[in-house]
């Protein structure tokens, strides 16, 4: 019995276009899984959004010379367009600034308060007279008292990694204006009493025995190391954000404050489903999210980089559990390590690496999708270099898959015309191929079901290789001279194998797969139940066209040009 599958990927922040490391750490593997599950007949709801609140959004808007609401709307459209360019198949791409998310965030805050899980805390925070605002810790800079680095932030020194408070800094200044006219003022904020839910979270996480080690180890570290899970502020003194309310009621003493972005952003996963329904794309959004409305039959998967794990294993579940309402909790969290760039780190803030819009200007999406997914940083950090990118895409996409498609279709056209040839019988080589393909298909499906991305890619590539090995052994070009009917049978099987590749490869390289299937008039071809049946899909006499070259090779000159172009920082 197929289950409904709910998939969310970590929502990208609004302050600019994301780099390839962001893409492979959340959205792209989530899309791989969504495409695969749809192909296997599951009802899938794949949601993502832009994360639009907080100081960085305000600063990015000011730098762009736009009101923050206008900036966020424009950047949402930009990110949505780039996501489409990478063929990310979201059922809805929402916005955390939506009215739905505002109402739902305020609803959760009210329910948490009713459960006694919100505490008002008086604290001291740095106020900038020049900016006319309180400054978040990371927007205060100064000299580190530990190592002397003059670009340390109020939360941490990037040079020596020491954790800091703003008052620790020597000669502190505003990172917004550069002003040193700062003072420490009293302010009051709301805290989520996460510590009161520690035992509930521990029990819940202990029950997730199938989670990746990376996910569980990070969650347990935050739960149990040092003083254990800490209460966390959920409000800020900012203008841009969800206004602090207790449900639909005002919250005395919280006038002019907004909810902290970390609190409202994950709630957008839920609100995004409501946006999906309100946009006329679906119905009954609560049946995906509330167990009293039917969500007990939903399997919920989240995809994210390891830096987001604490929020999704602890803080967001604390919000849901603490509300006392029957909201759906995540069943499986797939987390990823970092993709590094050519000896260093990708960095949005520093403009280092290849960004999603730039990548699409260089090559079609399938090149990037294949390389990133086949090198997904699952068990450790991995590194992008132009040399490995060129080598692997040329070999896998051009030499293995593209070459097989080209050789078979062009040979058929030259000897038998543009139709699946008749006649001949297959020999033991074909039987062995079918057996090997069946074993590989089952392994491929197992890895995909288990969300083992690199293993899935390896199995798919092995399936492609089997076709080339069969062709080399069967040698239809040589056999044709003395036995054209046997050559016809070999080519008929090989054409069917190309069609099978089109179906199996679609989650990884959807554009190339669509071209393959279109060449055979198989746009709606179903996922194979078994290989033997699938290899009879194209009957003798079925017309086809020779597809254009699926993948051009990356030249050494292109590689060198791109390496030089992206050696510095994006301006």
């Amino acid at each position: 019995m197929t289950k409904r599958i709910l998939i969310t990927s970590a929502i990208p922040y609004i302050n600019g276009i994301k780099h390839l490391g962001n893409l492979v750490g959340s959205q792209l593997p989530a899309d791989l899984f969504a495409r695969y599950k749809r192909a296997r007949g599951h009802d899938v709801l794949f949601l993502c959004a832009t994360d639009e609140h907080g100081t960085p959004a305000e600063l990015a808007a000011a730098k762009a010379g736009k009101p923050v609401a206008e900036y966020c709307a424009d950047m949402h459209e930009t990110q949505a367009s780039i996501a489409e360019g990478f063929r990310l198949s979201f059922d809805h791409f929402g916005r955390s600034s939506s009215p739905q998310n505002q109402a739902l965030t305020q609803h959760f805050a009210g329910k948490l308060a009713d459960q006694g899980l919100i505490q008002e805390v008086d604290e001291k925070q740095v106020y900038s007279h020049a900016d006319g605002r309180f400054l978040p810790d990371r927007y205060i800079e100064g000299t580190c008292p530990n190592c002397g680095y003059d670009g340390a932030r109020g939360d941490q020194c990037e040079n020596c990694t020491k954790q800091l408070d703003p008052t620790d800094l020597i000669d502190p200044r505003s990172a917004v204006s550069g002003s040193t006219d700062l003072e420490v003022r009293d302010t009051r904020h709301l805290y989520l009493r996460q510590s009161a839910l520690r035992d509930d979270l521990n029990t819940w996480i202990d029950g997730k025995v199938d989670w990746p080690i990376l996910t569980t180890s990070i969650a347990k570290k935050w739960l149990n190391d040092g003083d254990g899970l800490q209460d966390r502020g959920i409000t800020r003194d900012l203008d841009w954000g969800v206004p602090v309310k207790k449900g639909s009621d005002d919250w005395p003493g919280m006038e002019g404050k907004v909810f902290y972005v970390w609190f409202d952003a994950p709630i957008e996963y839920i609100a995004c489903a409501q946006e999906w329904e309100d946009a006329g794309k679906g119905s009954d959004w609560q049946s995906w999210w509330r167990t009293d409305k039917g969500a007990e039959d939903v399997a919920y998967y989240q995809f994210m980089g390891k830096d987001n794990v604490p929020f999704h294993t602890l803080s967001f579940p604390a919000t849901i559990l603490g509300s006392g309402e029957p909201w759906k909790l995540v069943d499986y969290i797939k987390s990823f390590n970092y993709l590094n760039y050519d000896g260093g780190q990708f960095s949005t803030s520093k403009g280092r690496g290849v960004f999603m819009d730039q990548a699409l200007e260089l090559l079609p999406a399938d090149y990037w999708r294949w390389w990133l997914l086949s090198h997904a940083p699952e068990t450790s950090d991995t590194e992008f270099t132009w040399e490995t990118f060129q080598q692997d895409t040329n070999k896998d996409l051009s030499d293995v898959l593209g070459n097989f498609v080209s050789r078979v279709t062009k040979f058929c056209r030259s000897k038998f015309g543009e139709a699946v040839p008749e006649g001949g019988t297959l020999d033991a080589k074909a039987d062995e191929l079918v057996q090997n393909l069946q074993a590989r298909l089952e392994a491929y499906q197992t890895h995909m079901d288990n969300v083992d991305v690199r293993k899935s890619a390896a199995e798919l590539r092995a399936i492609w290789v089997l076709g080339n090995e069969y062709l080399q052994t069967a040698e239809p070009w040589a056999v044709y001279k003395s036995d054209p009917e046997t050559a016809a049978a070999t080519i008929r099987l090989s054409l069917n194998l190309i069609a099978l590749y089109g179906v199996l490869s679609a989650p990884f390289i959807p554009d190339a797969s669509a071209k393959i299937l279109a060449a055979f008039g198989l746009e709606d071809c179903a996922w194979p139940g078994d290989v033997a049946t699938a290899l009879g899909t194209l009957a003798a006499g079925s017309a086809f066209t020779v597809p254009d070259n699926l993948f051009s090779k990356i030249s050494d000159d292109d590689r060198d040009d791109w390496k030089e172009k992206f050696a510095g920082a994006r301006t």
Side-chain angles (χ1 to χ4, degrees):
M1 177 181 175
T2 56
K3 291 190 72 171
R4 291 191 296 156
I5 308 292
L6 174 62
I7 301 170
T8 61
S9 67
I11 61 178
Y13 200 66
I14 198 69
N15 65 335
I17 295 166
K18 303 298 106 175
H19 55 66
L20 296 182
N22 296 132
L23 177 63
V24 74
S26 58
Q27 293 175 317
L28 187 54
D31 178 72
L32 173 76
F33 190 64
R35 287 178 176 274
Y36 168 72
K37 284 298 184 181
R38 290 191 194 107
R40 297 302 306 275
H42 293 271
D43 185 7
V44 172
L45 182 60
F46 179 24
L47 301 173
C48 193
T50 39
D51 180 1
E52 300 188 8
H53 293 137
T55 301
E58 293 182 292
L59 297 182
K63 186 175 181 180
K66 297 180 179 181
V68 64
E70 178 184 339
Y71 171 83
C72 288
D74 291 346
M75 189 53 66
H76 171 81
E77 291 302 314
T78 297
Q79 291 200 16
S81 176
I82 293 171
E84 184 177 347
F86 274 98
R87 307 298 183 253
L88 303 179
S89 59
F90 305 129
D91 290 290
H92 188 70
F93 188 60
R95 303 182 61 186
S96 69
S97 62
S98 69
Q100 293 90 337
N101 194 43
Q102 174 170 311
L104 197 56
T105 298
Q106 292 166 341
H107 168 83
F108 270 107
K111 290 299 180 181
L112 290 165
D114 292 343
Q115 298 290 334
L117 292 170
I118 299 293
Q119 182 178 4
E120 296 188 15
V121 176
D122 292 319
E123 58 182 34
K124 296 184 182 298
Q125 196 169 342
V126 175
Y127 183 87
S128 168
H129 291 277
D131 300 304
R133 63 187 295 171
F134 285 98
L135 296 176
D137 294 350
R138 66 179 295 123
Y139 285 93
I140 305 162
E141 295 178 344
T143 301
C144 175
N146 185 54
C147 70
Y149 176 60
D150 66 359
R153 299 195 310 250
D155 57 353
Q156 184 179 24
C157 176
E158 288 187 348
N159 186 56
C160 69
T161 72
K162 183 177 178 62
Q163 299 290 314
L164 299 171
D165 289 321
T167 53
D168 296 331
L169 295 174
I170 301 169
D171 299 326
R173 61 187 180 274
S174 166
V176 181
S177 63
S179 173
T180 58
D181 187 10
L182 311 177
E183 72 168 298
V184 176
R185 287 187 178 181
D186 292 329
T187 185
R188 174 169 289 192
H189 284 293
L190 302 179
Y191 274 64
L192 174 59
R193 296 181 56 232
Q194 296 184 140
S195 59
L197 295 162
R198 182 179 179 279
D199 290 343
D200 293 331
L201 291 167
N202 235 331
T203 300
W204 175 65
I205 292 169
D206 284 342
K208 302 300 179 181
V209 294
D210 60 339
W211 280 9
I213 293 174
L214 178 64
T215 302
T216 305
S217 62
I218 293 173
K220 285 292 189 178
K221 180 179 177 65
W222 277 65
L223 267 174
N224 301 318
D225 279 10
D227 295 327
L229 187 63
Q230 299 294 300
D231 297 342
R232 190 173 179 88
I234 63 169
T235 56
R236 280 291 184 266
D237 293 295
L238 298 174
D239 295 325
W240 176 244
V242 175
V244 176
K245 286 193 174 184
K246 195 180 294 185
S248 59
D249 299 329
D250 291 336
W251 202 311
M254 293 293 121
E255 297 83 2
K257 299 179 188 290
V258 300
F259 286 107
Y260 197 179
V261 63
W262 79 259
F263 183 71
D264 79 81
I267 294 172
E268 168 60 18
Y269 294 137
I270 305 175
C272 190
Q274 186 177 1
E275 295 172 47
W276 164 75
E277 179 176 334
D278 291 347
K281 298 177 181 179
S283 61
D284 201 14
W285 71 269
Q286 292 191 55
S287 73
W288 290 91
W289 276 108
R290 288 186 66 107
T291 56
D292 61 339
K293 302 289 186 180
E296 65 276 357
D297 75 337
V298 171
Y300 177 23
Y301 293 77
Q302 291 177 346
F303 291 77
M304 69 199 65
K306 61 185 177 183
D307 52 329
N308 275 317
V309 169
F311 295 105
H312 292 77
T313 57
L314 302 174
S315 297
F316 185 37
T319 297
I320 292 177
L321 289 169
S323 72
E325 296 184 317
W327 297 99
K328 175 70 181 175
L329 284 162
V330 66
D331 295 298
Y332 190 87
I333 297 179
K334 178 67 176 183
S335 56
F336 292 87
N337 290 284
Y338 295 139
L339 176 71
N340 294 320
Y341 178 73
D342 210 13
Q345 291 185 330
F346 278 93
S347 173
T348 299
S349 61
K350 296 179 180 178
R352 189 175 194 279
V354 185
F355 289 74
M356 290 172 65
D357 59 335
Q358 297 169 325
L360 292 176
E361 291 170 1
L362 301 181
L363 290 166
D366 281 351
Y367 287 79
W368 302 105
R369 287 178 64 102
W370 174 254
W371 192 92
L372 291 168
L373 289 167
S374 61
H375 293 75
E378 291 176 293
T379 57
S380 63
D381 292 353
T382 57
E383 182 158 342
F384 175 93
T385 69
W386 289 104
E387 289 79 8
T388 55
F389 177 69
Q390 177 200 29
Q391 172 186 309
D392 295 341
T393 53
N394 282 353
K395 183 178 180 182
D396 296 347
L397 298 179
S398 181
D399 292 347
V400 180
L401 177 60
N403 182 56
F404 182 78
V405 173
S406 179
R407 291 173 72 189
V408 172
T409 55
K410 289 180 179 178
F411 178 80
C412 185
R413 181 174 62 186
S414 69
K415 302 301 182 185
F416 304 105
E418 291 187 322
V420 178
E422 299 179 351
T425 57
L426 296 168
D427 58 14
K429 299 187 191 73
D431 293 337
E432 182 181 359
L433 172 66
V434 170
Q435 291 176 9
N436 290 335
L437 284 170
Q438 186 65 42
R440 289 290 187 184
L441 172 60
E442 291 171 5
Y444 178 48
Q445 292 172 166
T446 296
H447 293 319
M448 290 286 267
D449 287 331
N450 293 336
V451 206
D452 288 328
V453 177
R454 291 180 73 150
K455 290 180 179 178
S456 299
E459 284 297 337
L460 179 59
R461 186 186 184 280
I463 289 170
W464 297 342
V465 168
L466 285 174
N468 283 277
E469 291 176 344
Y470 169 70
L471 205 62
Q472 287 299 110
T473 303
E475 296 184 303
W477 50 88
V479 172
Y480 179 81
K481 298 173 184 177
S482 59
D483 189 353
E485 285 207 348
T486 296
T490 298
I491 291 301
R492 185 167 61 251
L493 178 65
S494 297
L495 289 169
N496 272 282
L497 187 51
I498 292 172
L500 178 63
Y501 288 169
V503 176
L504 299 183
S505 304
F508 280 90
I509 46 174
D511 286 348
S513 291
K515 289 180 183 178
I516 289 172
L517 295 175
F520 295 101
L522 295 173
E523 287 84 351
D524 297 323
C525 196
W527 193 268
D530 67 273
V531 168
T533 302
L535 292 180
T537 299
L538 299 172
S542 300
F544 72 90
T545 58
V546 176
D548 294 334
N549 186 25
L550 292 179
F551 298 100
S552 299
K553 285 196 171 185
I554 298 171
S555 70
D556 290 349
D557 287 343
D558 283 338
R559 177 202 66 202
D560 293 340
D561 287 347
W562 297 339
K563 185 173 183 177
E564 181 179 358
K565 179 179 180 181
F566 295 99
R570 179 173 188 163
T571 57

